[in-house]
Amino acid sequence: MTPEQALAMAKENGAKVVDVRFMDFPGIWQHFTVPMSELEASTFEDGYGFDGSSIRGWQPINASDMLVVPDASTAKMDPFFDHPTLVLIGNIVDPITREPYSRDPRYIAQKAEAYLKSTGMGDTAFIGPEAEFFIFDDIQYESNANSAFYAIDSVEGTWNTGRDECPNLGYKPRHKEGYFPVPPTDKFQNLRTEMMLVLEQLGIDVECQHHEVATAGQAEIDMRFKPLLQMGDQLVWFKYVLKNVAHRAGHTVTFMPKPLFEDNGSGMHTHISLWKDGAPLFAGDKYAGVSQEALWAIGGIIKHCKALCAFTNPTTNSYKRLVPGFEAPVNLAYSSRNRSAAVRIPMYSPSPKAKRIEFRTPDPSCNGYLAFSAILMAVLDGIENKMEPGDPLDKNIYDLPPEELAELESAPGSLDEALAALAADHDFLLKGDVFTQDVIDMWISYKTENEVNPVRLRPHPHEFHLYYDI
């Protein structure tokens, strides 16, 4: 879509205002709104000024002025605002040099796509994330110097079978039994369908929606695969739509990976395939019907998995889900069909166009632009250096004898460990200037100072249960 087409779209839909959006460094969508009179064809080159020092992980106070330049191709009408609103996603640039900003996550995704083309290994990376989430009815939390708590509630929560609900009608999925009961046990069918239809209204192709394994409203809505940058844009729309549809219905959605104890966490199994000149590159005659390039790509993901987790599993809470022995995809192995391996080769369809690899470790707390770009860089490094992934693991990992299990490497056990792995292994990310050293250093610094250390320094509520009477 050109600037002229975006302006025509706004006029056709009676837009009164323009909402300009961009992704901050950790991965939260930011926005500001201007009247339609402030949007002209020249704006798509001139941009709008804003304070970059107020955005997490970005500019210092002495160099705060920045520009966000709207990308006309991203134009959509917001489905929630009272007044007709044109939404444009913007790219961040320096107001003096007009150079793209190295810490803009969307720019990193643009560079990743450009680097893929420059290598000659392919021209398109298709990404298909399966972002799981929870729909809750109530969430309370607090963290002070002398107290800390959280309390989650859901009409579906199995802990509410004995609650006086005037009347309690039951049908609450037990732990790990939420995949896929029909209503009335599944109480969010209509809400998920509404989410799906709003996504489709925005031009986002959806494959299915369903209840997930956990109690208390765990769910999944799958988007059809798209090129990397487009999927990065879609993932932020996806989170925005799901949160707002739930909010106006009196519910709350979270993409926090592990909000519940004793039940499944939320992952984001991420499918990736490379194409060139309209032909899929991962279909072949090797194991599970994949090509040699696909096996090398798997080798790249396995080799760099610990560093990748700093971007694909970027929260301290991510590692409450990634615990060995609890069905999480932490084992650095690959297989067809076996869902206990970190990398799986889906076997649903014999079509070469459907052949892809599935990285199962990521979770939906990630910044999609950064996570997808990092995964692509690991894939390309694997292909370039012909990294063999070893033998596939087609056994049930949880039935392996201890001596065999000991030979399997695992994903990091904490965000601190993942950041240390990134510090030691990031040269593959620097190729083509996709990630810069400044981005790597700032990511490690920001996460350590704002997330790892604050969590590490605070007493945990369960520690009082364990130790208060020592």
Side-chain angles (χ1 to χ4, degrees), residues 93-318:
V93 303
D94 185 282
I96 298 174
T97 66
R98 304 293 300 190
E99 291 292 319
Y101 185 45
S102 64
R103 295 183 196 170
D104 176 8
R106 192 168 190 264
Y107 178 48
I108 291 171
Q110 290 169 329
K111 287 191 291 182
E113 287 192 324
Y115 178 68
L116 167 62
K117 294 176 182 177
S118 75
T119 66
M121 286 185 259
D123 52 40
T124 307
F126 283 112
I127 304 290
E130 300 175 3
E132 297 169 342
F133 56 97
F134 278 89
I135 304 167
F136 294 138
D137 298 324
D138 189 69
I139 174 67
Q140 302 174 54
Y141 53 88
E142 188 173 85
S143 182
N144 296 318
N146 67 319
S147 65
F149 83 94
Y150 70 89
I152 295 167
D153 209 1
S154 168
V155 68
E156 267 197 10
T158 189
W159 57 83
N160 280 327
T161 55
R163 182 172 67 175
D164 185 1
E165 295 180 346
C166 302
N168 189 325
L169 300 179
Y171 301 113
K172 303 179 192 299
R174 290 174 285 272
H175 288 304
K176 301 183 183 297
E177 294 187 19
Y179 190 90
F180 305 145
V182 297
T185 301
D186 177 1
K187 293 176 173 55
F188 295 108
Q189 165 67 18
N190 290 334
L191 188 67
R192 292 193 311 270
T193 293
E194 184 181 352
M195 293 169 175
M196 183 172 67
L197 294 176
V198 173
L199 289 169
E200 289 192 321
Q201 173 190 330
L202 289 164
I204 296 173
D205 296 326
V206 178
E207 293 182 333
C208 69
Q209 61 91 347
H210 60 82
H211 204 289
E212 256 299 340
V213 173
T215 188
Q218 191 183 34
E220 178 176 314
I221 299 176
D222 294 339
M223 293 179 283
R224 184 172 295 277
F225 64 88
K226 297 294 179 189
L228 189 152
L229 178 64
Q230 185 178 348
M231 184 53 74
D233 289 342
Q234 285 192 180
L235 185 59
V236 285
W237 269 111
F238 179 87
K239 291 183 176 183
Y240 175 77
V241 166
L242 269 56
K243 289 177 180 179
N244 279 281
V245 168
H247 188 267
R248 71 184 180 188
H251 303 285
T252 177
V253 157
T254 183
F255 293 93
M256 188 175 174
K258 186 69 172 177
L260 295 181
F261 175 55
E262 292 188 320
D263 214 335
N264 283 36
S266 292
M268 189 181 75
H269 307 149
T270 301
H271 300 251
I272 182 169
S273 63
L274 298 186
W275 290 54
K276 187 174 183 179
D277 298 328
L281 300 181
F282 280 2
D285 59 0
K286 302 295 183 181
Y287 172 80
V290 301
S291 65
Q292 181 63 66
E293 288 77 11
L295 291 177
W296 288 332
I298 293 170
I301 289 177
I302 291 175
K303 176 178 173 58
H304 297 300
C305 181
K306 293 183 179 182
L308 288 177
C309 284
F311 291 111
T312 61
N313 304 79
T315 68
T316 59
N317 184 254
S318 297

Side-chain angles (χ1 to χ4, degrees), residues 383-423:
I383 296 173
E384 179 185 1
N385 293 290
K386 300 182 178 179
M387 295 178 183
E388 294 292 346
D391 295 329
L393 186 67
D394 290 330
K395 304 174 184 177
N396 186 338
I397 288 174
Y398 307 108
D399 291 337
L400 291 180
E403 58 273 16
E404 284 190 51
L405 194 59
E407 296 177 0
L408 282 176
E409 282 199 78
S410 292
S414 67
L415 179 57
D416 201 20
E417 187 181 336
L419 294 172
L422 178 62

Side-chain angles (χ1 to χ4, degrees), residues 16-24 28-36 38-39 43 46-52 54-55 58 64-71 76 78 81 84-93 240:
K16 303 296 185 184
V17 295
V18 182
D19 207 50
V20 182
R21 300 182 185 176
F22 59 91
M23 181 74 89
D24 72 4
I28 299 294
W29 227 9
Q30 309 292 325
H31 82 129
F32 61 87
T33 306
V34 300
M36 275 303 303
E38 292 296 309
L39 181 68
T43 310
D46 298 338
Y48 299 98
F50 72 100
D51 176 11
S54 295
I55 303 299
W58 278 10
S64 61
D65 288 357
M66 304 200 77
L67 290 175
V68 55
V69 179
D71 181 343
K76 296 183 186 297
D78 189 277
F81 292 165
T85 301
L86 178 72
V87 176
L88 295 167
I89 299 175
N91 298 312
I92 311 303
V93 303
Y240 175 77

Side-chain angles (χ1 to χ4, degrees), residues 338-387:
N338 189 341
R339 294 168 185 263
S340 60
V343 179
R344 187 175 75 98
I345 301 170
M347 301 299 291
Y348 296 125
S349 171
S351 169
K353 292 183 178 181
K355 193 57 67 175
R356 73 271 192 196
I357 59 178
E358 177 191 7
F359 185 26
R360 296 178 60 79
T361 306
D363 70 54
S365 68
C366 69
N367 181 331
Y369 296 117
L370 300 182
F372 301 153
S373 298
I375 294 169
L376 174 60
M377 296 304 287
V379 162
L380 295 177
D381 193 52
I383 296 173
E384 179 185 1
N385 293 290
K386 300 182 178 179
M387 295 178 183

